[in-house]
């Protein structure tokens, strides 16, 4: 029987698509028959998928009407990527019928991304494998939490976490949060995208489309202002990602940028993979960025509270590559041992 991976996969987010692809690829390359369970989380669909809001205010209606076509194009592009690699289960599941998946899978893996942040999932406990039968092996790989659970959430989650046969998380701070509820320290492993070798990402990247530019990805207002000022000072263009950009275009724009200004976790990671200079902004689910900055010794590139950016701090790319290689090897070994249980 197959190993079923449950994660966020059906969104309009490049990072989400690439992390789900990467975990699928890693498990598959280790020799296991696996697939991503086509699980439709109601709250994720509301947050991520294109729709026209006819129930909110007139302003919300107008905004959704304006942005829906662009999000629809992006959603179609990302779904093409998923379909290309045939990662998804034939059957679609929801909260109502997810228990039926027990007949198709011997093991379940939950991960990666911020699956254990209940405000994001809308208190969907499927991501804690509450539906999995006791006889099934239950694991998490690099599951992220983002922010500490409150007391009410801790009370609800303690039972679910105790049923896992192995738990690994993606950030240092999450180790204590899980250990508090389980009494066992989880393993710390890398994001699935780090399991994929750099040459694989190079192959997926499209041809170079622009030169002499800085890339702005998932910005806030400060990020936009900083990028424009920096570009003007250094005679560079400012480009963004567009709805029609494919996965290949996303990777290409990160790879060839002089610098990326971003509030995106996976924008941060792919900048590291391509040796692209970065200024990052940590304004949500903050433990993720803090961990990366500390792990790769690039805290000086945190622009969240900087008043002025005259130059981008240099990054020791040799150190970054060495840390990544060690972290990747450890995480692959952990994943292999997990799947052998």
């Amino acid at each position: 029987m197959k190993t079923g991976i449950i994660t966020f996969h059906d969104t309009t987010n490049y990072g989400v698509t690439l992390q789900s692809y990467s975990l699928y690829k890693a498990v598959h390359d280790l020799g296991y028959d696996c697939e991503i369970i086509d699980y439709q989380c109601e709250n994720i669909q509301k947050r991520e998928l294109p729709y026209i809001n006819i129930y909110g205010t007139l302003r919300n209606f107008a905004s959704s009407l304006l942005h829906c076509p662009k999000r629809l194009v992006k959603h179609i592009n990302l779904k093409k990527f998923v379909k290309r690699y045939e990662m998804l289960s034939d059957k679609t599941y929801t909260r109502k019928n997810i228990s039926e998946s027990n007949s198709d899978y011997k093991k379940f893996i939950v991960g990666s991304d911020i699956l254990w942040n209940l405000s994001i999932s809308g208190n969907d406990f499927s991501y804690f494998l509450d539906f999995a039968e006791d006889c099934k092996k239950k694991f998490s790989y690099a599951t992220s939490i983002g922010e500490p659970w409150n007391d009410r959430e801790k009370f609800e989650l303690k039972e679910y976490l105790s049923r896992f046969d192995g738990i690994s998380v993606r950030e240092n701070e999450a180790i204590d949060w899980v250990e508090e509820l389980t009494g066992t320290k989880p393993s710390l492993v890398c994001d699935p995208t780090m399991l994929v070798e750099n040459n694989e990402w190079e192959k997926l990247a499209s041809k170079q489309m622009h030169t002499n530019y800085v890339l702005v990805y998932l910005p806030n207002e400060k990020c936009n202002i900083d990028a424009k000022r920096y570009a003007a000072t250094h005679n560079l263009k400012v480009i963004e990602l567009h709805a029609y950009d494919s996965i290949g275009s996303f990777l290409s724009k990160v790879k060839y940028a002089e610098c990326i200004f971003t509030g995106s976790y996976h924008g941060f990671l792919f900048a590291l993979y391509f040796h692209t200079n970065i200024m990052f902004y940590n304004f949500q689910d903050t433990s993720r960025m803090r961990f990366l900055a500390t792990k790769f010794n690039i805290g000086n590139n945190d622009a969240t509270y900087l008043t002025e950016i005259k130059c981008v701090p240099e990054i020791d790319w040799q150190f970054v590559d060495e840390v990544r290689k060690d972290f990747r090897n450890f995480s692959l070994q952990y994943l292999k041992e997990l799947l052998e249980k």
Side-chain angles (χ1 to χ4, degrees), residues 70-81:
K70 295 179 180 179
R71 296 183 74 188
L72 181 60
V73 170
K74 187 176 182 182
H75 187 226
I76 291 171
N77 273 334
L78 296 188
K79 285 185 76 71
K80 284 181 180 178
F81 180 84

Side-chain angles (χ1 to χ4, degrees), residues 30-299:
L30 285 171
Y32 289 86
D33 188 9
C34 68
E35 62 187 11
I36 296 172
I37 300 171
D38 188 9
Y39 179 70
Q40 301 296 318
C41 171
E42 184 177 348
N43 208 56
I44 294 300
Q45 289 184 302
K46 289 179 180 178
R47 285 172 57 99
E48 296 284 341
L49 300 190
Y51 74 100
I52 298 175
N53 186 356
I54 62 174
Y55 299 106
T57 64
L58 182 60
R59 183 177 180 178
N60 289 341
F61 169 75
S63 177
S64 65
L65 191 64
L66 176 66
H67 292 103
C68 185
K70 295 179 180 179
R71 296 183 74 188
L72 181 60
V73 170
K74 187 176 182 182
H75 187 226
I76 291 171
N77 273 334
L78 296 188
K79 285 185 76 71
K80 284 181 180 178
F81 180 84
V82 173
K83 184 177 181 180
R84 174 184 173 188
Y85 290 98
E86 299 181 341
M87 300 184 288
L88 281 185
S89 62
D90 291 332
K91 185 173 182 178
T92 299
Y93 297 92
T94 65
R95 183 64 181 159
K96 292 181 179 179
N97 70 343
I98 185 61
S99 62
E100 295 175 10
S101 64
N102 282 286
S103 62
D104 295 321
Y105 304 103
K106 182 179 180 180
K107 302 174 183 177
F108 292 98
I109 301 177
V110 55
S112 175
D113 226 317
I114 321 178
L115 303 170
W116 285 353
N117 185 315
L118 293 174
S119 64
I120 290 178
S121 70
N123 296 307
D124 191 333
F125 296 113
S126 294
Y127 296 109
F128 291 87
L129 303 182
D130 69 331
F131 63 88
E133 296 171 349
D134 290 339
C135 61
K136 303 294 182 179
K137 292 292 184 179
K138 294 170 278 292
F139 309 111
S140 80
Y141 179 83
T143 310
S144 185
I145 304 167
E147 300 291 347
W149 294 305
N150 61 38
D151 290 338
R152 177 188 59 79
E153 291 169 339
K154 289 177 184 178
F155 178 79
E156 293 180 291
L157 299 178
K158 186 173 183 178
E159 179 183 354
Y160 299 135
L161 292 174
S162 67
R163 300 178 68 236
F164 275 75
D165 296 286
I167 296 178
S168 63
V169 293
R170 204 174 59 179
E171 292 89 36
N172 259 326
E173 292 173 85
I175 293 175
D176 294 335
W177 302 339
V178 171
E179 186 178 12
E180 178 186 353
L181 301 188
T182 64
T184 302
K185 182 175 290 190
S187 296
L188 179 67
V189 294
C190 67
D191 184 86
T193 60
M194 203 176 292
L195 299 175
V196 178
E197 292 282 17
N198 276 7
N199 65 327
E200 294 293 328
W201 296 128
E202 297 274 353
K203 292 176 185 177
L204 287 175
S206 301
K207 294 180 181 178
Q208 184 173 357
M209 299 171 284
H210 307 275
T211 58
N212 302 318
Y213 66 93
V214 296
L215 174 66
V216 177
Y217 177 45
L218 285 189
N220 62 0
E221 183 179 1
K222 184 180 184 304
C223 177
N224 271 325
I225 292 172
D226 288 347
K228 289 175 182 177
R229 287 177 177 171
Y230 180 85
T233 302
H234 293 81
N235 197 28
L236 299 169
K237 296 173 289 189
V238 176
I239 68 169
E240 300 181 28
L241 288 160
H242 301 291
Y244 52 78
D245 280 326
S246 64
I247 288 290
S249 296
F250 164 75
L251 295 173
S252 175
K253 285 184 174 181
V254 174
K255 177 182 177 181
Y256 294 108
E258 297 295 325
C259 182
I260 175 173
F261 288 73
T262 186
S264 162
Y265 174 82
H266 284 101
F268 190 136
L269 279 174
F270 279 94
L272 296 185
Y273 304 158
F274 290 128
H275 289 189
T276 302
N277 290 322
I278 181 173
M279 296 303 295
F280 67 91
Y281 298 78
N282 197 10
F283 48 80
Q284 60 181 0
D285 301 307
T286 54
S287 67
R288 303 183 301 163
M289 296 293 212
R290 284 197 300 270
F291 173 71
L292 289 183
T294 301
K295 184 78 173 175
F296 293 98
N297 195 27
I298 51 178

